[in-house]
Amino acid sequence: MLEIKNLQVSINSKQILNGLNLSIKPGELHAIMGPNGSGKSTLANVLSGKSGYEVSGQINFEGKNLKGVPVEERAQKGIFLAFQYPLEIPGVNTNNFLKTSLNSVLKANGKKEVDTLSFLKLVKEKSLELGIDEKFLSRQLNVGFSGGEKKKNEILQMKILDPILSILDETDSGLDIDALKIIAKGVNLSRDKKKSFLVITHYQRLLDYIKPDFVHVLSGGRIIKTGHGELAEELEKTGYTKLN
Amino acid sequence: MQNFEVNSNQIDKIKKITSDEKDFRIKNLELFKASGFPNKKLEDWKFSDFKYIVDSNFNELKIKETSFNQQNIDLISDFEHNYILLVDGNLQSSNFNYEEKSKIIINSFDKSTDYKTTSNSLVNLNHALAENGYSLEIAKNYKFKKVLVIYNLFTKDLKNIILNNKNRIKLNENSELHTIEYTINESKSKFINNVYENIILEKNSKLKNLTIQKNKSDGFFHKFLKCKLLLNSNYLNLIFSSGLKFNKIDIECDLINENCECNILSALFLKKNEHQEIKTCINHLAPNCKSYQKVKNVLSEESKGVFQGKIFVKDIAQKTDAYQLSKALLLNDEAEFNSKPELEIYADDVKCSHGSTSGNIDEDALHYLMTRGLTKNDSIKLLIKGFLNDVVDYIKNPSVKKFIENKFEEQINGH
């Protein structure tokens, strides 16, 4: 599904990712851990197509090179990024926005757009599944949301847009244990043979609830170690410094 | 353009005129002649050099002769409403089928000459020449059941014409009115519309006024709005404006007695070389009054937006609560926004504040929306709508709100 080869990324001449290789197959869930400043969020941003980076190397998604593919097309092809810091967009109603985005994704894939009624039904269903209050969807997008609500909203968006590759950028940061469980539930319920996940996190805690197939350690812009669940546990005890 | 000259025999042409009225008109014409169209040397016009704008857009200017043809328009079908129809500013017809007609006085033009001398030469010109407009008075205790739409139609034969119209709205004690001024443009040529509007709100009365255009126009619009608010009265003015070559709305609002409230909010979307100015002067002349101003501009291409807002608080106007905010969203480097807030306060127990911001589209917000599958263009439109939306939220009537939202969205999408 996702094949990253020798990815080099710099911003304002500062090298952030330095020859990163990663391969994610359909149905797999990969966790990336790493110290602050190791390039985790940069990786997420570059995968989403964010501008402002100098990128070389290769990113193939579903066999196709993503080079030059704009942000919205990546989303339409099924790449979803749950933001570390979801943005507040005043004046934009969350429901309207979500409906517009769902329809642009459906349209791009040659599928029939949904009307308001069936959209609201879908939202209700997904909110119920996650155990979250759909009321915040009638508010302005992320405006005045608590940290937890913002992250839950990201996961709800993920459920509604139904991507094949979801990248979760520190979605667990700043969450209480209940919110964390909701996030984990959202991911676990979506997991199937076709969908893949890239979960970026600082803490092993999230991985107690979401069982990864692979755990990678990102440091100095490269993956320096790959293992399974136990690697995360080891890191929790020893920290990153010993790995270097 | 060569100098625009108005001969005093223009006033002689006006029929049924008293000597007082004639003196008033001649005096104002002299004032206009002495200064001509206002230019940027005047503080009030420093960001909108009207003389320059006229000179560079018109080869000649003529005064509209008073002949008006009957015109028909398509009425808004989205909500039930009363209406009056103005054709080039002239009151053609009115329909108050939803109301008790005995409570409403509608006339074509208010001849009173009870105006203070002003240094605004466009107002002088209006005082000298205006012969058309409407005068609306609502009886004591009467509250309108439905909205009143003021259809403001500009016909196709207005090439190089300057129109001078004068309107008056008076709400007597405890009365209520909600108006929508809906401008329809059929003129394909440039013209000037110079309006003076007089609003008087008696004790406990309430006026809501909303302005929006049906379509774009090559007209150059200037409106001077004088409002007088008496005890406990409440005034709300919502300005949605888009697609006008030039538009300056100059609002002077006197809060004469206690507990008055004045709210002025605008959502403007400008493109190409459009130029819009909102100028306000809110005079707090009595204690315990409230005023709130919020001006939001979205500017693209080489458009120019201006906000000059003044709050004046007289020494006796204690416990004044006055707020003013202007926000501009600039979509490119060529667009320009000028903001000049002014506070003049002589009372010592007041709450007065102002703020002004201008900035570009937030790239991170844009990226966020695009990661959800929206194109850049759609994301920008969504951000523009979001930026202007809080002004739309002041409309409480759901069908009117929907109508305005759709109209405004058309204007944003069409650009």
Side-chain angles (χ1 to χ4, degrees), chain A residues 89, chain B residues 361-362 365-366 369 379-387:
Chain A
I89 320 271
Chain B
I361 287 263
D362 179 353
L366 198 60
L369 296 177
S379 305
I380 290 174
K381 279 179 192 165
L382 203 60
L383 290 173
I384 293 173
K385 271 187 265 173
F387 179 78

Side-chain angles (χ1 to χ4, degrees), chain A residues 224-240:
Chain A
I224 56 164
K225 194 163 184 178
T226 295
H228 299 280
E230 69 281 357
L231 176 60
E233 284 166 34
E234 187 190 325
L235 285 170
E236 188 80 4
K237 286 186 204 125
T238 58
Y240 296 110

Side-chain angles (χ1 to χ4, degrees), chain B residues 80-82 95-101 142 145-146:
Chain B
E80 293 178 328
H81 60 276
N82 306 285
N95 182 316
F96 291 100
N97 283 349
Y98 295 100
E99 312 298 331
E100 286 174 41
K101 290 179 183 112
Y142 187 71
K145 295 179 184 74
K146 301 274 180 198

Side-chain angles (χ1 to χ4, degrees), chain B residues 330-345:
Chain B
L330 291 104
L331 301 182
N332 61 359
D333 294 344
E334 284 73 39
E336 178 182 331
F337 181 67
N338 299 282
S339 171
K340 196 187 91 179
E342 227 180 311
L343 302 179
E344 195 177 330
I345 303 167

Side-chain angles (χ1 to χ4, degrees), chain B residues 234-359:
Chain B
N234 192 306
Y235 177 56
L236 170 66
N237 191 353
L238 297 175
I239 303 161
F240 297 93
S241 189
S242 177
L244 302 180
K245 260 204 138 35
F246 177 85
N247 189 21
K248 176 163 175 166
I249 301 175
D250 192 338
I251 303 169
E252 196 177 293
C253 192
D254 293 344
L255 302 148
I256 295 170
N257 302 121
E258 286 197 48
N259 300 320
C260 297
E261 188 175 329
C262 168
N263 296 289
I264 296 166
L265 297 111
S266 74
L268 312 177
F269 182 84
L270 280 72
K271 64 159 210 165
K272 285 189 181 159
N273 54 357
E274 291 167 11
H275 181 141
Q276 293 218 34
E277 171 167 347
I278 293 198
K279 181 177 168 291
T280 61
C281 179
I282 312 295
N283 295 314
H284 281 262
L285 307 174
N288 294 312
C289 291
K290 206 176 155 187
S291 69
Y292 184 84
Q293 302 174 64
K294 182 151 52 176
V295 172
K296 288 196 150 185
N297 277 269
V298 176
L299 302 132
S300 72
E301 297 168 81
E302 287 164 32
S303 62
K304 183 173 173 177
V306 182
F307 175 60
Q308 299 197 74
K310 181 173 176 178
I311 299 169
F312 172 86
V313 183
K314 202 177 167 183
D315 53 0
I316 58 158
Q318 301 293 2
K319 305 280 180 199
T320 286
D321 183 356
Y323 181 72
Q324 181 195 87
L325 175 71
S326 78
K327 277 185 146 188
L329 182 63
L330 291 104
L331 301 182
N332 61 359
D333 294 344
E334 284 73 39
E336 178 182 331
F337 181 67
N338 299 282
S339 171
K340 196 187 91 179
E342 227 180 311
L343 302 179
E344 195 177 330
I345 303 167
Y346 296 99
D348 53 13
D349 183 15
V350 300
K351 210 166 96 184
C352 275
S353 52
H354 68 86
S356 180
T357 62
S358 47

Side-chain angles (χ1 to χ4, degrees), chain B residues 75-326:
Chain B
L75 297 176
I76 296 167
S77 56
D78 302 59
F79 49 90
E80 293 178 328
H81 60 276
N82 306 285
Y83 68 85
I84 63 176
L85 169 59
L86 306 174
V87 177
D88 298 333
N90 181 40
L91 179 69
Q92 183 184 292
S93 57
S94 62
N95 182 316
F96 291 100
N97 283 349
Y98 295 100
E99 312 298 331
E100 286 174 41
K101 290 179 183 112
S102 64
K103 305 289 184 185
I104 301 155
I105 304 170
I106 176 94
N107 279 313
S108 61
F109 175 69
D110 177 49
K111 288 195 165 213
S112 64
T113 56
D114 183 21
Y115 299 101
K116 271 193 208 155
T117 310
T118 166
S119 60
N120 183 335
S121 62
L122 279 171
V123 173
N124 294 140
L125 184 66
N126 186 291
H127 285 338
L129 300 177
E131 287 179 79
N132 295 298
Y134 66 91
S135 171
L136 176 69
E137 187 166 341
I138 313 301
K140 212 168 146 176
N141 299 325
Y142 187 71
K143 294 179 171 58
F144 259 60
K145 295 179 184 74
K146 301 274 180 198
V147 177
L148 169 66
V149 177
I150 299 162
Y151 291 100
N152 204 355
L153 172 72
F154 293 97
T155 55
K156 52 183 181 296
D157 36 350
L158 287 179
K159 193 174 180 185
N160 295 335
I161 295 284
I162 175 162
L163 298 164
N164 288 284
N165 300 308
K166 191 175 270 174
N167 307 321
R168 175 175 172 268
I169 295 178
K170 184 175 181 188
L171 266 61
N172 284 305
E173 247 181 89
N174 293 320
S175 63
E176 269 180 33
L177 176 66
H178 180 186
T179 63
I180 296 176
E181 189 179 328
Y182 188 57
T183 302
I184 305 167
N185 181 66
E186 286 179 357
S187 174
K188 291 196 168 53
S189 335
K190 294 174 181 174
F191 64 93
I192 297 175
N193 187 43
N194 181 29
V195 175
Y196 185 96
E197 203 159 282
N198 207 355
I199 291 175
I200 302 141
L201 302 186
E202 293 284 350
K203 194 173 149 188
N204 296 328
S205 65
K206 207 171 172 181
L207 176 66
K208 271 199 267 181
N209 176 51
L210 192 157
T211 312
I212 192 159
Q213 289 88 38
K214 183 185 181 194
N215 48 9
K216 58 182 191 167
S217 168
D218 280 345
F220 292 68
F221 293 79
H222 170 257
K223 183 192 257 190
F224 187 88
L225 193 59
K226 176 79 192 178
C227 316
K228 285 183 184 159
L229 272 66
L230 283 86
L231 194 69
N232 291 326
S233 60
N234 192 306
Y235 177 56
L236 170 66
N237 191 353
L238 297 175
I239 303 161
F240 297 93
S241 189
S242 177
L244 302 180
K245 260 204 138 35
F246 177 85
N247 189 21
K248 176 163 175 166
I249 301 175
D250 192 338
I251 303 169
E252 196 177 293
C253 192
D254 293 344
L255 302 148
I256 295 170
N257 302 121
E258 286 197 48
N259 300 320
C260 297
E261 188 175 329
C262 168
N263 296 289
I264 296 166
L265 297 111
S266 74
L268 312 177
F269 182 84
L270 280 72
K271 64 159 210 165
K272 285 189 181 159
N273 54 357
E274 291 167 11
H275 181 141
Q276 293 218 34
E277 171 167 347
I278 293 198
K279 181 177 168 291
T280 61
C281 179
I282 312 295
N283 295 314
H284 281 262
L285 307 174
N288 294 312
C289 291
K290 206 176 155 187
S291 69
Y292 184 84
Q293 302 174 64
K294 182 151 52 176
V295 172
K296 288 196 150 185
N297 277 269
V298 176
L299 302 132
S300 72
E301 297 168 81
E302 287 164 32
S303 62
K304 183 173 173 177
V306 182
F307 175 60
Q308 299 197 74
K310 181 173 176 178
I311 299 169
F312 172 86
V313 183
K314 202 177 167 183
D315 53 0
I316 58 158
Q318 301 293 2
K319 305 280 180 199
T320 286
D321 183 356
Y323 181 72
Q324 181 195 87
L325 175 71
S326 78

Side-chain angles (χ1 to χ4, degrees), chain A residues 6-139:
Chain A
N6 191 27
L7 184 64
Q8 310 265 352
V9 178
S10 60
I11 185 164
N12 301 330
S13 308
K14 192 181 170 222
Q15 188 87 11
I16 313 274
L17 294 179
N18 194 5
L20 183 138
N21 295 300
L22 181 67
S23 171
I24 300 179
K25 295 195 172 58
E28 289 179 353
L29 190 145
H30 291 236
I32 290 195
M33 302 181 77
N36 292 327
S38 58
K40 299 188 300 296
S41 289
T42 300
L43 174 64
N45 286 336
V46 167
L47 289 174
S48 77
K50 192 173 185 185
S51 56
Y53 297 99
E54 291 148 47
V55 181
S56 68
Q58 209 171 13
I59 305 172
N60 283 352
F61 177 66
E62 297 272 87
K64 286 189 186 125
N65 194 337
L66 282 183
K67 195 176 179 186
V69 177
V71 182
E72 73 272 23
E73 270 180 43
R74 295 180 190 216
Q76 290 159 0
K77 284 176 195 295
I79 298 178
F80 179 87
L81 171 63
F83 278 59
Q84 185 179 0
Y85 303 110
L87 281 106
E88 298 193 7
I89 320 271
V92 174
N93 175 284
T94 309
N95 255 330
N96 287 348
F97 153 70
L98 261 177
K99 185 177 158 234
T100 317
S101 36
L102 175 61
N103 278 335
S104 51
V105 171
L106 289 173
K107 199 175 160 192
N109 288 295
K111 290 182 188 155
K112 200 172 159 258
E113 295 179 38
V114 293
D115 57 22
T116 308
L117 220 61
S118 26
F119 172 75
L120 290 175
K121 211 178 129 207
L122 177 73
V123 168
K124 214 178 176 79
E125 188 188 303
K126 298 292 175 195
S127 317
L128 207 68
E129 202 178 297
L130 290 173
I132 58 181
D133 190 353
E134 77 205 84
K135 266 190 208 134
F136 70 65
L137 295 170
S138 53
R139 286 160 48 189

